[in-house]
Structure formats: structure tokens, C-alpha cells
């Protein structure tokens, strides 16, 4: 339905009118979801079901887009507009909450591989700050629901200023999907838990595909790296399954920290937004105060919080930030903080240094955010359950924020 329309549904009829009582034109289309998707099945909560669905939803996001031999990548919704995308001098990504965190991951990926300047803004700030925009700018609006008011108004404003607008939405036919010039659907399926999980990993997958496509078309990466990145993406679902298989370790760790008053999450590079997202998940559903920080910023303030009551979750896989993040861990350790590390499988050095470890399989840094977030989603989930919180419908929150 369009804005300002009203539907009247009875057993045998459907009418849609405008608010001033005129008949509205409409088309009926069948949704592709099955009824099973809106049932919990054997899971205690939708959020847990959605966390466990991620191997499938990520596969649904790249299926039909990456060729089986990893030599080509097609983003159908962008084919016609790609010449315009290639002319863009700057990319601005907007969104709210979890979608904003996905945008930050996208910033790292696009700048690293496609070498185009990227800015990320909260849609709620962007819409009011009279940004300088021109037809050389490409604005990407990210939204699971496609109905978030701040994001919708921000994209309308950017359109008026002449920028090209792309959408990354999950809900097919949503307002944001309709109002953008072109876009890529995330295909994560219906997300019911208020705390976004599978929609986030689907958004990051789309942004990774977009960054790889752009890098390839702009000749910024070799054919070998192009194939390698696509292959690495297709290996993510199996790797997430190995993380999910060890969910009981995460549950046991949650038991240890469930009564903490605060938590600090640290990460670097594309894993800094993963730290932000991990902290948001904990806040939203367990009501435990949590802060996400770029690990290098710790000494500029948050280190004052560290004592033997503070759990510090450090996203520390073996990548080119490893040495730096290990020294951050040592700083926390020296102040008796309790460290939970998200570490590469088999990293015994880190295991010796920290209190608890959530292992993730080794992967290319471009796709590690898709793995690193999964144990943090489970950690928040188990803490919230242990604290007796309403996981799927946390207090004061709505699934889709259609008001300012
Ligand atoms: C995510 O866990 C939150 N519930 C919230 O931050 C959400 O991501 C935000 O409101 C944006 O929603 P959207 O993706 O539907 O635009």
C-alpha cells in the first residue's frame, strides 16, 4: 500500500481507498515467505531462531549473485544504474541503529577495496544538518524494515539535492525500497525479534558484495583477489555453523557475567562496528549498560572504567590489527578487567591471556565481521534470558520506528 491509503479486508473481499475516500489502484502479489518463517518451531525465542538461521539467510543473500565458480558477481537491481554508480565521487551511507553499524562495516570495505571516499551518518542527523550534496554523490539508505522514518525523510532530502539514491532493504516493496533509484534486497526473510540479528549479517553481506563489485569494476583489485573474496563469502555459512555448534560454551560464559552492571566492547577496523553492534544487542535485550569503543580510543577515557567488576569483550581475531589489540588486552588485564575475547580458532596465546574465549574460524578480514558478531549475539541472548528479560519484545522498543 502507498501512504495515505486504507485497506478493508473481509473474508471475501479486499478494498483499498485513499484517505479522502477515493478508490486506489493496487496490485496483488504473493509473498514468497512460508508460514514456518513466522513460527518459532523448536526455539524458545524468535531471536534465537533468527541467530541460528544465519547460515541460510547469508546464503540466500548471495545465492544467484555469485557464480558457482566464484568468477562473476551480478547485482541485478543495480545493472542499469551501474554507469552512474561508477561516476560517483563520494558515497554516503545512512541508517539507524543496527543498520548504521552495518553501514560502518560497509565504509571499511568500500574504502579498502574500491578506494572511493565513504561517509557514514545517522539518518536522524543527516536529515537535519543540511549536508552538502551534489549529483556526484551516491547515497545508500540501509534499513531492515524499509519504513524507518528518519531514513526515509533523509533519503527524500538527498534526492531533492540531486544525489543518486540506492537502497539496501529487507522488506520487499517497503517505502524506502520504493523511493530509492535502485537497490539490493537483503533476502534475510521476515525478522520478528526486535533485536536485529540475521538482518544485520544480510546487510553486511550485501555491502561486501557491493564493495567487491565496485572494486572489480573500477579495476582496484586483481582478478585473483576478486575470486578469493567471493569464495571467502561463500564459505561463511559453513563457518557460522561451527560457531553455533559451540553455543553452550557461550551460555556458560553468560552465566558468569549475567549480574554485571556494565560491559565494554572493543574492536578495531571493520570489527569496531561489530563491537558497537555487540554492545547494542546487550543493552537492548538485557538492559545491561554496554559501550562499544574503537580499541585505540580506550586510553582516551574508557580505561578509567576498568576494574575487576567490568567484563571487557575484545574482538581480537588474527588479522593485521592483532598486535595492537593484544596490547589493548594487556592494558585491560593490568587493571584487573575480566576479558572475553572473540579469537581465531586455535589461538592459544590469547587463551592464556584472557578469562574467556569465543572461537571463530579463520577467515579473510573482509568477511570476519560476519563471523565475529555471531558469538556476541548469542552472548546477549543468553544474558537476557538469564536476567529474565523479554528477549523478543524488549521494553520501550518497536521493531520499526515509523515516528521521529
Ligand atoms: C536493532 O536491534 C534495533 N532494534 C534498531 O536499532 C534498528 O536497527 C533501527 O531501528 C533501524 O531499523 P531499520 O533497519 O528497520 O531501519
Amino acid at each position: 500500500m502507498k501512504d495515505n491509503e486504507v485497506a478493508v479486508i473481509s473474508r471475501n473481499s479486499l478494498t483499498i481507498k485513499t484517505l479522502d475516500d477515493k478508490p486506489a489502484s493496487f496490485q496483488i502479489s504473493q509473498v514468497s515467505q512460508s508460514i514456518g518463517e513466522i513460527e518459532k518451531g523448536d526455539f524458545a525465542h524468535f531471536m534465537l531462531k533468527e541467530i541460528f538461521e544465519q547460515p541460510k539467510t547469508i546464503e540466500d543473500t548471495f545465492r544467484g549473485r555469485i557464480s558457482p565458480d566464484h568468477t562473476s558477481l551480478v547485482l541485478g537491481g543495480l545493472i542499469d544504474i551501474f554507469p552512474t554508480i561508477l561516476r560517483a565521487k563520494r558515497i554516503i551511507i545512512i541508517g539507524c541503529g543496527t543498520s548504521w553499524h552495518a553501514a560502518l562495516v560497509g565504509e571499511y570495505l568500500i574504502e579498502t577495496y574500491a578506494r572511493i571516499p565513504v561517509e557514514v551518518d545517522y539518518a536522524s542527523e543527516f536529515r537535519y544538518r543540511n549536508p552538502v550534496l551534489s549529483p556526484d554523490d551516491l547515497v545508500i539508505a540501509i534499513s531492515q524494515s524499509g519504513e524507518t522514518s528518519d531514513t526515509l525523510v533523509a533519503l527524500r532530502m538527498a534526492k531533492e539535492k540531486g544525489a543518486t539514491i540506492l537502497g539496501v532493504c529487507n522488506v520487499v516493496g517497503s517505502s524506502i525500497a520504493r523511493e530509492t533509484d535502485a537497490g539490493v534486497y537483503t533476502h534475510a526473510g521476515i525478522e520478528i525479534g526486535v533485536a536485529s540479528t540475521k538482518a544485520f549479517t544480510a546487510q553486511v553481506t550485501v555491502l561486501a558484495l557491493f564493495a567487491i563489485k565496485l572494486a572489480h569494476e573500477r579495476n582496484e583489485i586483481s582478478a585473483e583477489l576478486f575470486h578469493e573474496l567471493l569464495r571467502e563469502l561463500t564459505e561463511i555459512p559453513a563457518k557460522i555453523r561451527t560457531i553455533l555448534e559451540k553455543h553452550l560454551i557461550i551460555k556458560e560464559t553468560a552465566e558468569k557475567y549475567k549480574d554485571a552492571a556494565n560491559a565494554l566492547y572493543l574492536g578495531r577496523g571493520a570489527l569496531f562496528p561489530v563491537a558497537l553492534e555487540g554492545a547494542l544487542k546487550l543493552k537492548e535485550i538485557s538492559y545491561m549498560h554496554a559501550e562499544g569503543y574503537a580499541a585505540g580510543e580506550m586510553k582516551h577515557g574508557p580505561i578509567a572504567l576498568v576494574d575487576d567488576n567490568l567484563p571487557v569483550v575484545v574482538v581480537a581475531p588474527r588479522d593485521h590489527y592483532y598486535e595492537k589489540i593484544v596490547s589493548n588486552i594487556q592494558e585491560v588485564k593490568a587493571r584487573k578487567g575480566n576479558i572475553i575475547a572473540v579469537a581465531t580458532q586455535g589461538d592459544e596465546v590469547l587463551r592464556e591471556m584472557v578469562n574467556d574465549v569465543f572461537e571463530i574460524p579463520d577467515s579473510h578480514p573482509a568477511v570476519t565481521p560476519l563471523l565475529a558478531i555471531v558469538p556476541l549475539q548469542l552472548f546477549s541472548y543468553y544474558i537476557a534470558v538469564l536476567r529474565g528479560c523479554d528477549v523478543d519484545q524488549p521494553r520501550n522498543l518497536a521493531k520499526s520506528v515509523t515516528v521521529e
Side-chain angles (χ1 to χ4, degrees):
M1 289 167 66
K2 300 181 201 78
D3 288 345
N4 302 318
E5 289 180 349
V6 179
V8 180
I9 304 167
S10 71
R11 186 179 294 273
N12 301 315
S13 69
L14 162 70
T15 51
I16 301 186
K17 291 180 175 181
T18 59
L19 278 182
D20 49 7
D21 212 26
K22 299 205 175 90
S25 61
F26 63 91
Q27 273 189 326
I28 295 179
S29 56
Q30 187 91 26
V31 293
S32 57
Q33 276 90 16
S34 69
I35 202 80
E37 283 187 60
I38 51 168
E39 287 171 348
K40 276 188 280 197
D42 293 334
F43 291 93
H45 298 96
F46 281 109
M47 182 182 176
L48 188 62
K49 178 182 178 233
E50 287 158 6
I51 292 171
F52 272 79
E53 275 173 358
Q54 290 177 108
K56 178 181 178 298
T57 51
I58 291 174
E59 204 160 332
D60 288 344
T61 305
F62 64 67
R63 186 187 303 121
R65 291 171 169 161
I66 301 176
S67 65
D69 60 359
H70 315 123
T71 56
S72 82
L73 167 59
V74 178
L75 295 173
L78 302 186
I79 290 175
D80 293 342
I81 207 165
F82 227 86
T84 311
I85 294 175
L86 287 172
R87 282 196 297 273
K89 300 218 164 41
R90 177 175 68 149
I91 297 176
I92 299 156
I93 318 181
I94 54 171
C96 304
T98 289
S99 296
W100 181 75
H101 295 153
L104 290 172
V105 177
E107 177 182 25
Y108 281 93
L109 298 179
I110 296 168
E111 288 207 337
T112 303
Y113 298 103
R115 308 302 298 153
I116 300 184
V118 180
E119 285 171 28
V120 174
D121 210 344
Y122 286 116
S124 55
E125 287 295 314
F126 187 73
R127 63 182 282 194
Y128 286 116
R129 72 175 169 83
N130 192 17
V132 180
L133 288 171
S134 78
D136 289 337
D137 291 316
L138 180 69
V139 173
I140 306 179
I142 306 189
S143 175
Q144 185 286 129
S145 61
E147 302 295 345
T148 300
S149 165
D150 282 324
T151 313
L152 188 56
V153 176
L155 83 82
R156 284 178 186 153
M157 181 267 288
K159 212 174 191 177
E160 267 169 30
K161 287 177 181 262
T164 301
I165 320 287
L166 301 185
V168 175
C169 294
N170 193 38
V171 177
V172 176
S174 55
S175 301
I176 293 174
R178 290 199 308 262
E179 294 201 24
T180 44
D181 296 311
V184 184
Y185 280 118
T186 47
H187 297 312
I190 299 169
E191 190 178 64
I192 293 174
V194 166
S196 187
T197 52
K198 63 176 182 172
F200 172 75
T201 47
Q203 289 167 340
V204 171
T205 303
V206 164
L207 290 164
L209 292 171
F210 180 73
I212 297 166
K213 179 81 185 166
L214 206 53
H216 183 59
E217 297 284 330
R218 285 168 54 89
N219 291 320
E220 292 288 351
I221 54 172
S222 65
E224 290 71 30
L225 182 56
F226 177 67
H227 300 164
E228 186 188 350
L229 292 172
L230 294 183
R231 185 181 45 73
E232 284 278 344
L233 258 180
T234 59
E235 287 172 2
I236 287 293
K239 290 181 179 176
I240 291 184
R241 274 185 203 101
T242 70
I243 300 171
L244 296 172
E245 276 161 17
K246 294 187 191 145
H247 67 281
L248 290 179
I249 297 176
I250 298 169
K251 191 176 178 185
E252 280 165 24
T253 311
E255 298 264 4
K256 282 167 68 176
Y257 297 103
K258 69 177 192 329
D259 296 320
N262 301 291
L264 184 62
Y265 284 66
L266 302 173
R268 282 178 176 260
L271 298 171
F272 158 49
V274 168
L276 293 175
E277 174 62 7
L280 177 67
K281 286 289 85 85
L282 191 67
K283 277 189 275 230
E284 280 186 296
I285 58 167
S286 76
Y287 317 139
M288 188 191 291
H289 172 242
E291 296 240 26
Y293 257 92
E297 271 293 297
M298 200 183 51
K299 56 189 171 298
H300 299 290
I303 199 161
L305 296 169
V306 180
D307 64 14
D308 56 359
N309 288 316
L310 185 78
V312 182
V313 179
V314 189
V315 189
R318 271 215 202 89
D319 57 15
H320 76 281
Y321 292 104
Y322 184 70
E323 308 278 302
K324 298 270 171 212
I325 205 114
V326 166
S327 74
N328 295 133
I329 288 174
Q330 277 158 344
E331 285 157 10
V332 174
K333 210 177 148 164
R335 287 154 187 90
K336 301 196 168 42
N338 295 294
I339 304 160
I340 304 157
V342 176
T344 306
Q345 217 159 1
D347 186 342
E348 297 309 322
V349 177
L350 215 55
R351 189 174 285 281
E352 286 300 306
M353 289 171 69
V354 303
N355 303 68
D356 295 278
V357 174
F358 300 151
E359 282 194 335
I360 58 171
D362 193 21
S363 64
H364 191 285
V367 296
T368 308
L370 291 166
L371 301 176
I373 191 58
V374 177
L376 303 186
Q377 294 167 341
L378 284 167
F379 186 56
S380 315
Y381 170 78
Y382 287 122
I383 289 202
V385 170
L386 290 163
R387 286 163 74 106
C389 300
D390 185 349
V391 171
D392 283 335
Q393 298 209 306
R395 69 185 181 202
N396 309 339
L397 293 175
K399 181 68 188 157
S400 179
V401 185
T402 54
V403 291
E404 222 189 302

